Amino acid sequence: MKKDVRILLVGEPRVGKTSLIMSLVSEEFPDEVPSRAEEITIPGDVTPERVPTHIVDYSESEQTDEQLYNEISRANVICIVYAVNNKNSIDKVTNHWIPLINERTDKDSRIPLILVGNKSDLLDYSSMETVLPIMNQYSEIETCVECSAKNLKNISELFYYAQKAVLHPTGPLYCPEDKELKPACVKALTRIFKISDLDNDGILNDGELNFFQRTCFHIPLAPQALEDVKNVVRKNVHDGVSGNGLTLKGFLFLHTLFIQRGRHETTWTVLRRFGYDDDLELTPEYLFPQLKVPVDCTTELNHHAYLFLQSMFDKHDQVSHVPLPRPVKTCDLLFGGLPLPVDVSVRPNRTAGGSSRAHRTFCLPRLTTYLDVQRCLEYLGYLGYSILTEQESQATAVTVTRDKKIDLHKRQTQRSVFRCNVIGSRGCGKSGVLQAHLGRNLLQKRIQEEHKSYYAINTVYVYGQEKYLLLHHVTECEALSAADTACDVVCLVYDITNPKSFEYCARIFKQHFMDSRTPCLIVAAKSDLHEVKQESSVSPADFCKKHKMPPPQAFTCNTADNPSREIFIKMTTMSMYPHARLRCLCTCNRCTYCLCQNLLHSDLLQAVKNKLFTSIVNRLRAWVDVLGESLMTDAESSLGHQVHPVSHMEHSIFMESSAPPTVEVARHMSQAELKGSTFWLRASFGATIFAVLGFAMYKALLKQR
């Protein structure tokens, strides 16, 4: 909505332009009228739309044509004033003023006009029939108002309609000649209908209508009001109501009716609530809300966004059995061809693996969020995320992870998407690694060159946790850029059939990753073929041992079944635990290493550990308190004996039998606490022995391997 409104009053001399302004300000007809009123500013808090309004008068005797042209270019709305008892002033509206204004404005952005018939107190009849043909001839005329500056008739209404013509223009919404909504308006309202149709049955039932009403106007409709609305649609549109619900045709008819009855602010309220501007385009503020992403931080979709995408997929997959592999096609298919970007660098059929269409659909949003968070926010805006989830903006769907340095320091991470840069010489098999990550082998249909992508993402399970591994194919070059080295793990691929292939990997490692904290994994591609000796000073195995890296991993995608996923699990494990020099990267969940890792990361072990720690601390505190009370009691008793010596044996016996009870009670309490804690001491001792024996067994098995 505009920040202010500038109203210009033009017309023939002595038609009452200045009188209208003076009557509005002073609320009485002025005795003396100047030739021209000074510019007046009405504060926003006293106007119905809460927008400051500037009223500008024009005087032919005091202003030049250049000043008039300048005021026309600055005005938001122009009121053409004529005297209802002066036919010449009415003729001048079409002969002079409208052509003059149209010459000074662009054809595509015409200024709205208001016809103002002043001095209605001098006639006993209405002059609307005279100006009605003019209104039908010029579409830029918003309305016509008859008023009287002398009787203060319709003065405030005049300026209200002028303000309304700027803030809620009819031009972008409605075509008066055809008496129907314009295509851009129909397109926007169709998207709004689709978003509000929560069950995607093509009908807005009572619950969905109330959701729409609360979203736009913050109050629900009473049951009788809902029935009245549907009855109006039934009477005017044959198929506007179906199954006691409102169809798209009935929804559009309601907005047409609002505009025809002069209530187009209702339609504008709906459009602006769903993110549209005066040109019926989604605003940048709606599509691209502010989101700060510091350096070394990444962006991921949170759980709420995942549930939203899941609901959107379920909602539209039940009706239309058309694959929805990416948000662009989803929005385009569901919401009638919105103006979405088409220069998507990642092809949908090369982005996510797995057999489930839902899996493929949810992998790409995560990839888009990681690589281009602004585009992800744009897609969520098209899908109506902030509307359906009742959030301030779609920025709440994105989680900005903490700095990677903090993860390295704390030796743990909460991230779910990890990036691996795949580096190697030309023809070494990098594309095969990406395709294998998507579950494809060389025997399947070959990928056309234009469909190849430099990114691939798929789910990987590490110790029972679902993670997403994003592979980036880095093209061969002598020196890598900063973007090529910024990742969580590096996959150095060499061809075992090419004797010069490993030399490139060794050189890249020494130049960029030898002194960094980024873990690296060397992959020996095409392992199904005959291996040749690499023309390098150090063999791949010795190179890995020298730099304390895992041994080269044999890999091939020339298999009848889906390629092995072991290297992808290992790369994800290295991304999650970059601080650990893992000698065993097996994640089969069957060997001793995997079983120990699963046990250490299990919730049960963590709960037992916390319970044991809490119990020991509580028992120690209880012992310290009892011991302190005992010492204090002994000190008080001995002090009492010294100050008051006992003279009689009976008194002495009484003192001995009466003083120690506190000590006896303390001793009994101490013994009870000790017996109660015996179980936890035994448990802790047993757990320690179990841990030591388990670690010794693990070391022995690891040495045998």
Side-chain angles (χ1 to χ4, degrees):
M1 187 176 292
K2 293 184 180 296
K3 296 181 179 180
D4 58 359
V5 176
R6 190 174 182 86
I7 304 174
L8 174 63
L9 275 70
V10 298
E12 294 301 300
R14 307 188 65 82
V15 294
K17 301 185 297 298
T18 308
S19 299
L20 291 171
I21 299 174
M22 302 296 290
S23 297
L24 174 70
V25 175
S26 62
E27 297 185 352
E28 62 180 5
F29 186 71
D31 296 332
E32 295 184 3
V33 181
S35 58
R36 178 175 177 267
E38 296 294 331
E39 180 178 329
I40 295 174
T41 300
I42 302 176
D45 54 357
V46 299
T47 61
E49 299 293 342
R50 301 294 177 181
V51 176
T53 303
H54 310 279
I55 302 176
V56 181
D57 189 13
Y58 165 71
S59 175
E60 183 177 355
S61 61
E62 292 190 5
Q63 292 179 287
T64 63
D65 291 343
E66 289 298 327
Q67 290 175 320
L68 173 62
Y69 301 154
N70 182 50
E71 290 294 347
I72 291 175
S73 63
R74 296 176 60 192
N76 300 122
V77 58
I78 298 178
C79 297
I80 304 177
V81 185
Y82 62 92
V84 295
N85 61 341
N86 187 343
K87 189 177 184 306
N88 180 56
S89 64
I90 299 176
D91 295 337
K92 282 285 188 177
V93 172
T94 55
N95 298 336
H96 176 68
W97 291 110
I98 294 180
L100 174 65
I101 295 171
N102 289 339
E103 288 176 2
R104 298 295 168 178
T105 56
D106 295 332
K107 184 178 181 180
D108 297 332
S109 58
R110 290 287 172 83
I111 298 176
L113 304 178
I114 306 291
L115 297 185
V116 181
N118 193 21
K119 303 183 181 182
S120 63
D121 58 293
L122 300 179
L123 292 180
D124 296 332
Y125 57 91
S126 175
S127 64
M128 292 298 293
E129 294 182 0
T130 307
V131 298
L132 190 59
I134 301 176
M135 294 181 60
N136 295 331
Q137 182 180 356
Y138 297 96
S139 59
E140 55 266 33
I141 298 177
E142 290 284 331
T143 187
C144 179
V145 181
E146 283 191 347
C147 57
S148 173
K150 186 175 182 179
N151 294 341
L152 304 182
K153 177 184 176 183
N154 290 340
I155 301 298
S156 58
E157 287 80 0
L158 158 65
F159 293 99
Y160 168 71
Y161 286 127
Q163 187 184 62
K164 185 178 176 181
V166 177
L167 302 179
H168 309 297
T170 309
L173 306 180
Y174 186 72
C175 181
E177 294 82 3
D178 300 332
K179 295 184 179 181
E180 60 183 23
L181 299 176
K182 290 187 175 180
C185 182
V186 172
K187 191 175 186 179
L189 291 176
T190 301
R191 170 180 174 266
I192 294 173
F193 180 89
K194 293 284 187 179
I195 292 176
S196 303
D197 185 12
L198 303 179
D199 55 7
N200 197 35
D201 60 352
I203 299 172
L204 294 184
N205 55 38
D206 290 352
E208 292 166 344
L209 281 172
N210 265 324
F211 168 79
F212 169 79
Q213 181 74 12
R214 288 195 310 270
T215 299
C216 299
F217 305 102
H218 309 292
I219 53 173
L221 286 174
Q224 186 58 45
L226 286 172
E227 287 300 322
D228 293 341
V229 168
K230 287 183 281 189
N231 288 333
V232 171
V233 177
R234 284 192 188 99
K235 293 178 181 179
N236 294 274
V237 183
H238 174 65
D239 51 352
V241 177
S242 176
N244 204 32
L246 203 64
T247 64
L248 175 60
K249 196 171 183 179
F251 184 75
L252 296 175
F253 167 77
L254 277 180
H255 286 281
T256 305
L257 191 62
F258 290 148
I259 297 171
Q260 289 175 346
R261 294 184 177 181
R263 294 177 53 191
H264 37 281
E265 66 272 12
T266 302
T267 302
W268 275 115
T269 302
V270 172
L271 291 169
R272 285 172 177 143
R273 178 64 183 90
F274 280 78
Y276 289 94
D277 58 12
D278 291 347
D279 298 325
L280 297 184
E281 298 286 346
L282 292 173
T283 63
E285 292 78 14
Y286 172 80
L287 290 178
F288 307 104
Q290 290 187 355
L291 182 68
K292 295 183 179 179
V293 183
V295 182
D296 291 335
C297 297
T298 60
T299 50
E300 300 178 1
L301 287 177
N302 56 32
H303 183 63
H304 299 290
Y306 178 81
L307 293 178
F308 171 76
L309 292 174
Q310 179 71 54
S311 65
M312 291 295 294
F313 180 84
D314 295 340
K315 168 183 174 180
H316 296 282
D317 190 53
Q318 292 175 358
V319 178
S320 75
H321 300 284
V322 181
L324 308 177
R326 55 176 176 152
V328 174
K329 289 188 70 72
T330 303
C331 292
D332 191 58
L333 174 66
L334 304 179
F335 304 126
L338 291 172
L340 294 170
V342 295
D343 54 337
V344 182
S345 59
V346 182
R347 299 293 176 181
N349 58 342
R350 299 292 171 260
T351 303
S355 58
S356 171
R357 291 200 304 130
H359 175 73
R360 294 195 300 270
T361 302
F362 300 140
C363 275
L364 183 86
R366 295 183 182 275
L367 173 65
T368 308
T369 307
Y370 190 95
L371 297 178
D372 190 354
V373 67
Q374 291 298 319
R375 176 162 289 184
C376 177
L377 294 176
E378 182 183 12
Y379 292 158
L380 291 175
Y382 287 128
L383 294 171
Y385 174 84
S386 60
I387 305 295
L388 295 175
T389 59
E390 299 181 359
Q391 298 291 333
E392 183 179 354
S393 69
Q394 55 268 27
T396 58
V398 177
T399 298
V400 180
T401 63
R402 66 185 181 187
D403 195 326
K404 188 177 178 181
K405 300 185 184 66
I406 300 178
D407 287 346
L408 292 173
H409 177 72
K410 293 182 175 289
R411 297 195 170 190
Q412 60 180 356
T413 180
Q414 301 296 328
R415 291 189 294 157
S416 61
V417 181
F418 300 95
R419 176 170 178 165
C420 171
N421 285 354
V422 182
I423 303 174
S425 59
R426 184 176 180 83
C428 66
K430 299 189 294 294
S431 298
V433 173
L434 265 70
Q435 296 306 313
H437 187 39
L438 305 180
R440 302 188 181 95
N441 55 39
L442 294 181
L443 301 180
Q444 295 176 352
K445 183 180 178 181
R446 283 194 174 275
I447 306 166
Q448 297 179 5
E449 190 67 28
E450 62 271 15
H451 289 168
K452 286 186 178 180
S453 171
Y454 290 101
Y455 294 96
I457 188 171
N458 206 346
T459 53
V460 178
Y461 289 89
V462 177
Y463 306 130
Q465 304 178 52
E466 184 185 64
K467 302 295 180 181
Y468 288 82
L469 181 63
L470 167 62
L471 299 184
H472 176 209
H473 180 160
V474 179
T475 55
E476 181 187 7
C477 58
E478 292 301 323
L480 302 181
S481 63
D484 295 333
T485 58
C487 57
D488 300 302
V489 62
V490 178
C491 177
L492 298 171
V493 183
Y494 75 95
D495 182 2
I496 65 172
T497 64
N498 183 358
K500 298 182 180 180
S501 181
F502 180 74
E503 182 182 1
Y504 178 81
C505 296
R507 184 171 70 254
I508 291 296
F509 176 82
K510 293 178 181 178
Q511 289 178 355
H512 300 282
F513 302 107
M514 186 168 64
D515 298 328
S516 69
R517 303 181 67 177
T518 305
C520 299
L521 182 69
I522 293 181
V523 174
K526 306 179 184 180
S527 60
D528 58 307
L529 303 178
H530 177 68
E531 183 177 4
V532 299
K533 184 178 180 180
Q534 296 294 318
E535 296 179 0
S536 178
S537 58
V538 184
S539 66
D542 294 339
F543 184 87
C544 294
K545 186 180 298 184
K546 176 181 177 181
H547 295 283
K548 299 180 180 180
M549 298 166 58
Q553 307 294 310
F555 171 78
T556 180
C557 58
N558 188 18
T559 59
D561 300 328
N562 292 337
S564 173
R565 298 191 55 79
E566 287 298 321
I567 64 168
F568 307 115
I569 300 176
K570 293 176 181 179
M571 287 187 287
T572 309
T573 306
M574 296 171 70
S575 301
M576 295 174 61
Y577 309 104
H579 57 278
R581 294 293 182 180
L582 303 176
R583 295 179 60 188
C584 174
L585 288 177
C586 179
T587 53
C588 62
N589 289 324
R590 294 189 300 270
C591 66
T592 306
Y593 178 82
C594 293
L595 294 177
C596 290
Q597 288 292 330
N598 291 334
L599 178 63
L600 292 174
H601 290 86
S602 65
D603 296 336
L604 178 62
L605 184 62
Q606 296 297 326
V608 171
K609 176 183 174 182
N610 295 334
K611 180 68 176 178
L612 183 62
F613 179 78
T614 304
S615 300
I616 293 176
V617 170
N618 292 336
R619 296 299 182 271
L620 289 175
R621 289 177 178 173
W623 291 344
V624 171
D625 294 340
V626 171
L627 182 60
E629 292 178 1
S630 300
L631 293 176
M632 291 295 295
T633 304
D634 291 341
E636 292 175 357
S637 300
S638 62
L639 184 61
H641 282 294
Q642 292 177 4
V643 176
H644 304 286
V646 181
S647 57
H648 300 287
M649 182 63 66
E650 295 178 359
H651 189 58
S652 175
I653 294 173
F654 174 76
M655 290 293 294
E656 286 185 3
S657 62
S658 61
T662 305
V663 179
E664 286 297 326
V665 171
R667 289 175 181 173
H668 285 298
M669 290 175 60
S670 178
Q671 291 176 0
E673 294 290 340
L674 184 61
K675 290 179 181 179
S677 61
T678 301
F679 169 78
W680 291 107
L681 289 174
R682 291 177 180 176
S684 62
F685 183 73
T688 304
I689 294 177
F690 174 80
V692 172
L693 292 177
F695 183 76
M697 185 181 299
Y698 160 69
K699 295 289 288 186
L701 292 175
L702 195 61
K703 287 183 179 179
Q704 292 179 3
R705 177 177 295 184

